[in-house]
Amino acid sequence: MAGRYPEGDFYGFEKDLSSEELDILLKVRRWTHEKVRPVATDYWNRSEFPFELLDSIRELDIISLVRHQGRSHLLAGLVTAEIHRADASVGTFFSGQDGLFTGSIELLASEEQKERWLPDIYAVNKTGVFAITEPDAGSDVAQDMSTTAKRVDGGWVLNGAKRWIGNATWSDYVIVWARDEEDNHVKGFLVDTSWEGYSATLMENRIALRAVQNADIHLKDVFVPEDYKLAHANTFKDTNKVLKSARSTVGWQAVGLQMGVLDTALQYTDERLQFGKKLSSFQINQSKLSTILGNLVASESMMAALARLEARGETHGEHSALAKAHVSRMMRESAALGRELLGGNGIIADYTAAKHFCDAEAIYSYEGTYDINQLVAARSITGESAFV
């Protein structure tokens, strides 16, 4: 590529990493180029998860490399972005495993539970997902959750249904959030997917993140031993501790998808000729490329600022809500422009622009819709709640 910024780091965010952290990011980048990009579109088209990548994921040891030894929040964000840059479906697997699932255990499990579960989870010898959304409850799940937990001798019995749970068809564990019949509070449980009464059915005909195996989960009298209830997951306020962190992660996902959009658009417009000239030489196309770049830099700047707040321990739910809302909004515009730059080829998944365009819709919608996150942020500056 003829440009000066082939990696898209236009404002030099990577220069804020230590040399050791930069080596980790470059290791992840090499892995995505060698292993993920060559197979991602084919699996996306077939709506199948690329299980062939699991061995290299374990060898790469990304979760341990990023989480341990005092790594920065900026590194964690840039690694998330780098994987989503290559493929949002594989990135969603990482974010689910490392964020919502692992985060639930790190934040809400007892020390004994952490010692028992986390080593295999960090090593990706055991996989897990996070189940909170229900068929009839999304943004309002805090008050309208219908999945129930009933205390019995030796543990709990769960009944209910969850929906849109990524990779729940093959994961080893699921963190299930259920309403305690006795005190009406939401509590968290680690459910082994081999237990009697648990079933997961693949959701068909999805247009986004197609390689993710989103599932409908059914829980019929599932017995959960007492030591599989997350010790510190006793109200929805505890659940929100996990969701706050997840919204930050989704912001980095949106950064990564925009990186992928820019990669695709630059390559295509550099190689494609029209009227005897490169598409990248036309003013209107350069304007669109510059808008994508501007959205990307603005998004990455917002997320880097959030990472600094996280490093100082100063983040609140409204910070991550505002970031998720606006970074995903800019991502949506970038994905549309990227598809537009490819013309008719922009609606063929082989060129990846169509894949980016569709995947952006999922990222824009989950972990709090744009509208809900806007209201969470506005509540913090007005003192008024526009929703219950």
Side-chain angles (χ1 to χ4, degrees):
M1 193 175 297
R4 294 171 52 210
Y5 302 95
E7 295 300 342
D9 190 23
F10 197 69
Y11 271 28
F13 292 98
E14 294 173 14
K15 293 178 181 177
D16 290 330
L17 300 175
S18 67
S19 59
E20 186 178 18
E21 289 185 330
L22 182 59
D23 286 343
I24 293 171
L25 179 63
L26 294 178
K27 182 179 180 180
V28 173
R29 183 172 294 157
R30 285 192 297 272
W31 173 72
T32 62
H33 276 280
E34 294 170 4
K35 299 291 186 179
V36 181
R37 289 174 187 254
V39 303
T41 299
D42 181 50
Y43 279 103
W44 192 93
N45 285 338
R46 289 189 279 129
S47 194
E48 296 177 5
F49 186 82
F51 290 105
E52 67 179 80
L53 295 177
L54 288 178
D55 285 342
S56 67
I57 288 170
R58 295 184 184 105
E59 291 171 8
L60 192 63
D61 199 23
I62 295 176
I63 295 176
S64 293
L65 283 173
V66 173
R67 281 183 172 272
H68 297 167
Q69 302 167 10
R71 310 295 186 203
S72 69
H73 290 279
L74 180 62
L75 173 65
L78 289 173
V79 166
T80 295
E82 197 64 43
I83 300 171
H84 280 77
R85 177 183 195 169
D87 181 56
S89 292
V90 173
T92 297
F93 163 73
F94 269 101
S95 295
Q97 174 82 7
D98 185 36
L100 286 167
F101 174 67
T102 306
S104 295
I105 294 172
E106 288 179 331
L107 290 169
L108 302 174
S110 68
E111 292 304 314
E112 185 277 330
Q113 288 172 327
K114 293 177 189 178
E115 291 174 7
R116 181 154 43 106
W117 297 329
L118 284 177
D120 276 340
I121 292 168
Y122 285 148
V124 199
N125 291 325
K126 292 289 187 180
T127 61
V129 297
F130 179 98
I132 190 167
T133 303
E134 297 186 347
D136 297 316
S139 298
D140 58 347
V141 72
Q143 66 179 28
D144 290 335
M145 182 178 295
S146 61
T147 300
T148 60
K150 181 178 181 179
R151 186 184 288 277
V152 297
D153 288 343
W156 302 76
V157 172
L158 305 185
N159 280 283
K162 300 293 182 180
R163 187 166 173 80
W164 290 110
I165 313 306
N167 296 321
T169 58
W170 59 273
S171 63
D172 297 300
Y173 296 123
V174 178
I175 298 288
V176 174
W177 300 92
R179 190 176 301 281
D180 185 348
E181 290 185 355
E182 183 176 345
D183 64 14
N184 208 38
H185 283 302
V186 171
K187 294 178 169 59
F189 304 85
L190 183 71
V191 172
D192 188 314
T193 58
S194 67
W195 288 345
E196 185 176 355
Y198 172 91
S199 64
T201 306
L202 180 66
M203 295 172 64
E204 304 284 357
N205 305 321
R206 293 163 293 109
I207 68 162
L209 300 175
R210 286 172 51 79
V212 176
Q213 303 300 285
N214 289 100
D216 283 309
I217 290 177
H218 298 280
L219 304 155
K220 177 64 175 175
D221 295 329
V222 176
F223 174 73
V224 180
E226 183 62 44
D227 60 349
Y228 277 77
K229 182 211 166 280
L230 297 183
H232 305 299
N234 297 311
T235 72
F236 200 82
K237 288 183 178 179
D238 299 322
T239 316
N240 266 330
K241 297 174 185 177
V242 183
L243 296 176
K244 180 183 76 171
S245 174
R247 288 192 179 116
S248 173
T249 300
V250 173
W252 283 109
Q253 292 177 6
V255 167
L257 190 135
Q258 289 181 85
M259 290 176 172
V261 168
L262 186 61
D263 290 339
T264 297
L266 283 173
Q267 180 177 351
Y268 188 86
T269 57
D270 184 63
E271 296 174 352
R272 180 82 174 204
L273 299 179
Q274 195 170 75
F275 305 112
K277 298 173 63 177
K278 289 183 179 181
L279 285 179
S280 60
S281 70
F282 290 94
Q283 289 181 355
I284 192 168
N285 291 337
Q286 289 201 358
S287 178
K288 292 175 183 177
L289 288 167
S290 196
T291 298
I292 295 170
L293 179 62
N295 285 343
L296 170 58
V297 170
S299 297
E300 201 166 2
S301 297
M302 196 170 196
M303 294 311 302
L306 187 62
R308 289 193 292 271
L309 285 174
E310 289 172 328
R312 298 198 300 264
E314 296 176 0
T315 51
H316 299 286
E318 57 265 26
H319 293 131
S320 53
L322 185 69
K324 194 276 177 178
H326 287 276
V327 172
S328 65
R329 175 183 56 79
M330 287 185 280
M331 168 205 63
R332 204 182 193 197
E333 180 187 31
S334 295
L337 288 171
R339 192 222 60 77
E340 204 173 288
L341 280 163
L342 270 69
N345 286 330
I347 60 173
I348 300 174
D350 295 351
Y351 290 87
T352 73
K355 182 162 76 73
H356 294 318
F357 181 82
C358 291
D359 289 345
E361 291 302 295
I363 294 173
Y364 181 76
S365 300
Y366 62 46
E367 297 308 327
T369 63
Y370 175 81
D371 293 325
I372 289 294
N373 280 310
Q374 284 279 77
L375 297 179
V376 170
R379 181 178 59 189
S380 71
I381 59 173
T382 64
E384 301 288 343
S385 179
F387 61 97
V388 178

Coordinates of all heavy atoms in Angstrom, one line a residue, residues 268-327:
Y268 N -8.9 -1.8 -1.4 CA -9.7 -1.9 -2.6 C -9.6 -0.7 -3.5 O -9.4 -0.8 -4.7 CB -11.2 -2.0 -2.2 CG -12.1 -2.3 -3.4 CD1 -12.4 -3.6 -3.8 CD2 -12.8 -1.3 -4.0 CE1 -13.2 -3.9 -4.9 CE2 -13.6 -1.5 -5.1 CZ -13.8 -2.8 -5.5 OH -14.7 -3.0 -6.6
T269 N -9.6 0.5 -2.9 CA -9.5 1.7 -3.7 C -8.1 1.9 -4.3 O -7.9 2.6 -5.3 CB -9.9 3.0 -2.9 OG1 -9.1 3.1 -1.7 CG2 -11.4 2.9 -2.5
D270 N -7.1 1.3 -3.7 CA -5.7 1.4 -4.2 C -5.6 0.5 -5.4 O -4.8 0.8 -6.3 CB -4.7 1.0 -3.1 CG -3.3 1.2 -3.5 OD1 -2.9 2.3 -3.8 OD2 -2.6 0.2 -3.6
E271 N -6.3 -0.7 -5.4 CA -6.1 -1.7 -6.5 C -7.1 -1.5 -7.6 O -6.8 -1.9 -8.8 CB -6.2 -3.1 -5.9 CG -5.1 -3.4 -4.8 CD -5.4 -4.8 -4.2 OE1 -6.5 -5.3 -4.4 OE2 -4.5 -5.2 -3.4
R272 N -8.2 -1.0 -7.3 CA -9.3 -0.9 -8.4 C -9.1 0.3 -9.2 O -8.9 1.4 -8.7 CB -10.7 -0.9 -7.7 CG -11.9 -0.8 -8.6 CD -12.3 -2.1 -9.1 NE -13.5 -2.1 -9.9 CZ -14.3 -3.1 -10.1 NH1 -14.0 -4.3 -9.6 NH2 -15.4 -3.0 -10.8
L273 N -9.2 0.1 -10.5 CA -9.1 1.2 -11.5 C -10.5 1.6 -12.0 O -11.3 0.7 -12.3 CB -8.2 0.9 -12.6 CG -6.7 0.6 -12.3 CD1 -6.0 0.2 -13.6 CD2 -6.1 1.7 -11.6
Q274 N -10.8 2.9 -12.2 CA -12.0 3.3 -12.9 C -11.6 4.5 -13.8 O -10.9 5.4 -13.3 CB -13.0 3.7 -11.9 CG -14.4 3.8 -12.4 CD -15.5 4.0 -11.3 OE1 -15.6 5.0 -10.7 NE2 -16.2 2.9 -11.1
F275 N -12.1 4.5 -15.0 CA -11.7 5.5 -16.0 C -10.2 5.7 -16.0 O -9.6 6.8 -16.2 CB -12.3 6.9 -15.6 CG -13.8 6.8 -15.4 CD1 -14.4 7.0 -14.2 CD2 -14.6 6.6 -16.6 CE1 -15.8 6.9 -14.1 CE2 -16.0 6.5 -16.4 CZ -16.6 6.7 -15.2
G276 N -9.5 4.5 -15.9 CA -8.0 4.5 -16.0 C -7.3 5.1 -14.8 O -6.0 5.2 -14.9
K277 N -7.9 5.3 -13.7 CA -7.3 5.9 -12.5 C -7.7 5.1 -11.3 O -8.7 4.4 -11.3 CB -7.7 7.3 -12.3 CG -7.3 8.3 -13.4 CD -7.9 9.7 -13.2 CE -7.3 10.3 -12.0 NZ -7.8 11.7 -11.8
K278 N -6.8 5.1 -10.3 CA -7.1 4.4 -9.0 C -8.4 5.1 -8.4 O -8.5 6.3 -8.4 CB -6.0 4.5 -8.0 CG -4.8 3.6 -8.4 CD -3.7 3.8 -7.2 CE -2.5 2.9 -7.5 NZ -1.5 3.1 -6.4
L279 N -9.2 4.2 -7.8 CA -10.4 4.8 -7.1 C -9.9 5.7 -6.0 O -10.6 6.7 -5.6 CB -11.2 3.7 -6.5 CG -12.1 2.9 -7.5 CD1 -12.9 1.8 -6.7 CD2 -13.1 3.8 -8.2
S280 N -8.7 5.4 -5.4 CA -8.3 6.3 -4.3 C -7.8 7.6 -4.7 O -7.6 8.5 -3.9 CB -7.1 5.6 -3.6 OG -6.0 5.4 -4.5
S281 N -7.7 7.9 -6.0 CA -7.3 9.2 -6.5 C -8.4 10.2 -6.7 O -8.2 11.4 -6.9 CB -6.5 9.1 -7.8 OG -7.4 8.7 -8.9
F282 N -9.7 9.7 -6.6 CA -10.8 10.6 -6.8 C -11.2 11.3 -5.5 O -11.2 10.8 -4.4 CB -12.1 9.8 -7.3 CG -11.9 9.2 -8.7 CD1 -11.5 7.9 -8.9 CD2 -12.3 10.0 -9.8 CE1 -11.3 7.4 -10.1 CE2 -12.2 9.5 -11.1 CZ -11.7 8.2 -11.2
Q283 N -11.5 12.6 -5.7 CA -11.8 13.5 -4.5 C -12.9 12.9 -3.7 O -12.8 12.9 -2.4 CB -12.1 14.9 -5.0 CG -10.9 15.7 -5.6 CD -11.3 17.1 -6.0 OE1 -12.5 17.4 -5.9 NE2 -10.3 17.8 -6.4
I284 N -14.0 12.5 -4.3 CA -15.1 12.0 -3.5 C -14.8 10.8 -2.6 O -15.2 10.7 -1.5 CB -16.4 11.8 -4.4 CG1 -17.6 11.6 -3.5 CG2 -16.2 10.6 -5.3 CD1 -18.9 11.7 -4.2
N285 N -14.0 9.9 -3.2 CA -13.5 8.7 -2.5 C -12.6 9.1 -1.4 O -12.6 8.5 -0.3 CB -12.9 7.7 -3.4 CG -14.0 7.1 -4.4 OD1 -15.2 7.1 -4.1 ND2 -13.5 6.6 -5.5
Q286 N -11.7 10.1 -1.6 CA -10.7 10.5 -0.6 C -11.5 11.1 0.6 O -11.1 11.0 1.7 CB -9.7 11.5 -1.2 CG -8.7 10.8 -2.1 CD -7.5 11.6 -2.3 OE1 -7.3 12.7 -1.7 NE2 -6.5 11.1 -3.0
S287 N -12.6 11.9 0.3 CA -13.4 12.5 1.3 C -14.0 11.4 2.2 O -14.0 11.5 3.4 CB -14.5 13.3 0.7 OG -15.3 13.9 1.7
K288 N -14.5 10.3 1.6 CA -15.1 9.2 2.4 C -14.1 8.5 3.2 O -14.3 8.2 4.4 CB -15.8 8.2 1.4 CG -17.1 8.8 0.7 CD -17.6 7.9 -0.3 CE -18.9 8.5 -1.0 NZ -19.4 7.6 -2.0
L289 N -12.9 8.3 2.6 CA -11.8 7.6 3.4 C -11.4 8.5 4.6 O -11.1 8.0 5.7 CB -10.6 7.4 2.5 CG -10.8 6.3 1.4 CD1 -9.6 6.3 0.4 CD2 -10.8 4.9 2.1
S290 N -11.4 9.8 4.3 CA -11.0 10.7 5.4 C -12.0 10.7 6.5 O -11.7 10.8 7.7 CB -10.8 12.1 4.9 OG -10.1 12.9 5.8
T291 N -13.3 10.6 6.2 CA -14.4 10.5 7.2 C -14.2 9.3 8.0 O -14.3 9.3 9.3 CB -15.7 10.6 6.5 OG1 -15.9 11.8 5.8 CG2 -16.8 10.4 7.6
I292 N -13.9 8.1 7.4 CA -13.7 6.9 8.1 C -12.5 7.0 9.0 O -12.6 6.7 10.2 CB -13.4 5.7 7.1 CG1 -14.7 5.4 6.3 CG2 -13.0 4.4 7.9 CD1 -14.4 4.4 5.1
L293 N -11.4 7.6 8.5 CA -10.2 7.9 9.4 C -10.5 8.8 10.5 O -10.1 8.5 11.7 CB -9.1 8.5 8.5 CG -7.8 8.8 9.2 CD1 -7.2 7.5 9.8 CD2 -6.8 9.5 8.3
G294 N -11.3 9.8 10.3 CA -11.7 10.8 11.4 C -12.5 10.1 12.4 O -12.3 10.3 13.6
N295 N -13.5 9.3 12.0 CA -14.3 8.5 13.0 C -13.4 7.6 13.8 O -13.6 7.4 15.0 CB -15.4 7.7 12.2 CG -16.5 8.6 11.7 OD1 -16.7 9.7 12.2 ND2 -17.3 8.0 10.8
L296 N -12.5 6.9 13.1 CA -11.6 6.0 13.8 C -10.7 6.7 14.8 O -10.6 6.2 16.0 CB -10.7 5.2 12.8 CG -9.6 4.4 13.4 CD1 -10.1 3.3 14.3 CD2 -8.8 3.7 12.2
V297 N -10.1 7.8 14.5 CA -9.3 8.5 15.4 C -10.1 9.1 16.6 O -9.7 9.0 17.7 CB -8.5 9.6 14.7 CG1 -7.8 10.6 15.7 CG2 -7.5 9.1 13.7
A298 N -11.3 9.6 16.3 CA -12.1 10.1 17.4 C -12.5 9.0 18.3 O -12.6 9.2 19.5 CB -13.4 10.8 16.8
S299 N -12.9 7.8 17.7 CA -13.3 6.7 18.5 C -12.1 6.2 19.4 O -12.3 6.0 20.6 CB -13.7 5.6 17.6 OG -14.9 5.9 16.9
E300 N -11.0 6.1 18.8 CA -9.8 5.6 19.6 C -9.4 6.6 20.6 O -9.0 6.2 21.7 CB -8.6 5.3 18.6 CG -7.6 4.4 19.1 CD -6.7 3.9 18.1 OE1 -6.8 4.3 16.9 OE2 -5.8 3.0 18.4
S301 N -9.5 7.9 20.3 CA -9.2 8.9 21.3 C -10.1 8.8 22.5 O -9.7 8.9 23.7 CB -9.3 10.3 20.7 OG -8.4 10.5 19.6
M302 N -11.4 8.6 22.3 CA -12.4 8.5 23.4 C -12.1 7.2 24.2 O -12.1 7.3 25.5 CB -13.8 8.4 22.8 CG -14.9 8.7 23.8 SD -16.5 8.8 23.0 CE -17.5 9.6 24.3
M303 N -11.7 6.2 23.6 CA -11.5 4.9 24.3 C -10.1 5.0 25.1 O -10.0 4.5 26.2 CB -11.5 3.7 23.3 CG -12.8 3.4 22.7 SD -14.2 3.3 23.9 CE -13.6 2.0 25.0
A304 N -9.2 5.7 24.5 CA -7.9 5.9 25.2 C -8.1 6.7 26.5 O -7.5 6.5 27.5 CB -6.9 6.5 24.3
A305 N -9.0 7.8 26.3 CA -9.3 8.6 27.5 C -10.0 7.7 28.6 O -9.7 7.9 29.8 CB -10.2 9.8 27.1
L306 N -10.9 6.9 28.1 CA -11.6 6.0 29.1 C -10.6 5.0 29.8 O -10.7 4.7 31.0 CB -12.7 5.2 28.4 CG -13.6 4.3 29.2 CD1 -14.4 5.2 30.2 CD2 -14.5 3.5 28.3
A307 N -9.6 4.5 29.0 CA -8.6 3.7 29.6 C -7.8 4.4 30.6 O -7.4 3.8 31.7 CB -7.6 3.2 28.5
R308 N -7.5 5.7 30.4 CA -6.8 6.5 31.5 C -7.7 6.6 32.7 O -7.2 6.5 33.9 CB -6.4 7.9 30.9 CG -5.3 7.8 29.9 CD -4.8 9.2 29.6 NE -5.8 10.1 28.9 CZ -5.9 10.1 27.6 NH1 -5.1 9.4 26.8 NH2 -6.8 10.9 27.1
L309 N -9.0 6.8 32.6 CA -9.9 6.8 33.7 C -9.8 5.5 34.5 O -9.8 5.4 35.7 CB -11.3 7.2 33.3 CG -11.6 8.6 32.9 CD1 -13.0 8.7 32.4 CD2 -11.4 9.5 34.1
E310 N -9.9 4.4 33.7 CA -9.8 3.1 34.3 C -8.6 2.9 35.1 O -8.6 2.3 36.2 CB -10.0 2.0 33.2 CG -11.4 1.9 32.6 CD -11.4 1.0 31.4 OE1 -10.4 0.9 30.7 OE2 -12.5 0.4 31.2
A311 N -7.4 3.3 34.5 CA -6.2 3.2 35.2 C -6.1 3.9 36.5 O -5.5 3.5 37.5 CB -5.0 3.6 34.3
R312 N -6.9 5.0 36.6 CA -6.9 5.8 37.8 C -8.0 5.3 38.8 O -8.2 5.9 39.8 CB -7.1 7.3 37.5 CG -6.0 7.9 36.7 CD -6.0 9.4 36.8 NE -7.2 10.0 36.3 CZ -7.4 10.5 35.1 NH1 -6.4 10.4 34.2 NH2 -8.6 11.0 34.7
G313 N -8.8 4.3 38.3 CA -9.9 3.8 39.1 C -11.0 4.8 39.2 O -11.8 4.8 40.3
E314 N -11.3 5.6 38.2 CA -12.2 6.7 38.3 C -13.4 6.5 37.3 O -14.2 7.4 37.1 CB -11.6 8.1 37.9 CG -10.5 8.5 38.9 CD -9.8 9.7 38.5 OE1 -10.1 10.3 37.5 OE2 -8.9 10.2 39.3
T315 N -13.6 5.3 36.7 CA -14.7 5.1 35.8 C -16.0 4.8 36.5 O -16.0 4.2 37.6 CB -14.4 4.0 34.8 OG1 -14.0 2.8 35.6 CG2 -13.3 4.3 33.9
H316 N -17.1 5.3 36.0 CA -18.4 5.0 36.4 C -19.2 4.5 35.2 O -18.8 4.6 34.1 CB -19.0 6.3 37.0 CG -18.3 6.8 38.2 ND1 -18.3 6.1 39.4 CD2 -17.5 7.9 38.4 CE1 -17.6 6.8 40.3 NE2 -17.0 7.9 39.7
G317 N -20.4 4.0 35.5 CA -21.2 3.4 34.4 C -21.5 4.4 33.3 O -21.5 4.1 32.1
E318 N -21.7 5.7 33.7 CA -22.0 6.7 32.6 C -20.8 7.0 31.7 O -21.0 7.3 30.5 CB -22.4 8.0 33.3 CG -21.4 8.6 34.3 CD -21.7 8.2 35.7 OE1 -22.3 7.2 35.9 OE2 -21.3 9.0 36.6
H319 N -19.6 6.8 32.2 CA -18.4 7.0 31.3 C -18.4 5.9 30.2 O -18.2 6.3 29.0 CB -17.1 6.9 32.1 CG -16.9 8.0 33.1 ND1 -16.6 7.8 34.4 CD2 -17.0 9.3 33.0 CE1 -16.5 9.0 35.0 NE2 -16.8 9.9 34.2
S320 N -18.5 4.7 30.6 CA -18.5 3.6 29.6 C -19.7 3.7 28.7 O -19.7 3.3 27.5 CB -18.3 2.2 30.2 OG -19.3 2.0 31.2
A321 N -20.9 4.1 29.3 CA -22.1 4.2 28.5 C -22.0 5.2 27.4 O -22.3 5.0 26.2 CB -23.3 4.5 29.4
L322 N -21.4 6.4 27.7 CA -21.2 7.4 26.7 C -20.3 7.0 25.6 O -20.5 7.2 24.4 CB -20.7 8.7 27.4 CG -20.6 9.9 26.4 CD1 -22.0 10.5 26.0 CD2 -19.8 11.0 27.1
A323 N -19.2 6.3 26.0 CA -18.2 5.9 25.0 C -18.8 4.8 24.1 O -18.6 4.9 22.9 CB -17.0 5.3 25.8
K324 N -19.5 3.9 24.7 CA -20.1 2.8 23.9 C -21.1 3.4 22.9 O -21.1 3.0 21.7 CB -20.8 1.7 24.7 CG -21.1 0.4 24.0 CD -22.4 0.5 23.3 CE -22.7 -0.8 22.5 NZ -24.0 -0.8 21.8
A325 N -21.9 4.3 23.3 CA -22.9 4.9 22.4 C -22.3 5.6 21.2 O -22.6 5.3 20.1 CB -23.8 5.9 23.2
H326 N -21.3 6.5 21.5 CA -20.8 7.3 20.4 C -19.8 6.7 19.6 O -19.7 6.9 18.4 CB -20.3 8.7 21.0 CG -21.5 9.5 21.4 ND1 -22.1 10.4 20.6 CD2 -22.1 9.6 22.6 CE1 -23.1 10.9 21.2 NE2 -23.1 10.5 22.5
V327 N -19.0 5.8 20.1 CA -18.0 5.1 19.3 C -18.7 4.1 18.4 O -18.4 4.0 17.2 CB -17.0 4.3 20.2 CG1 -16.1 3.4 19.4 CG2 -16.1 5.3 21.0

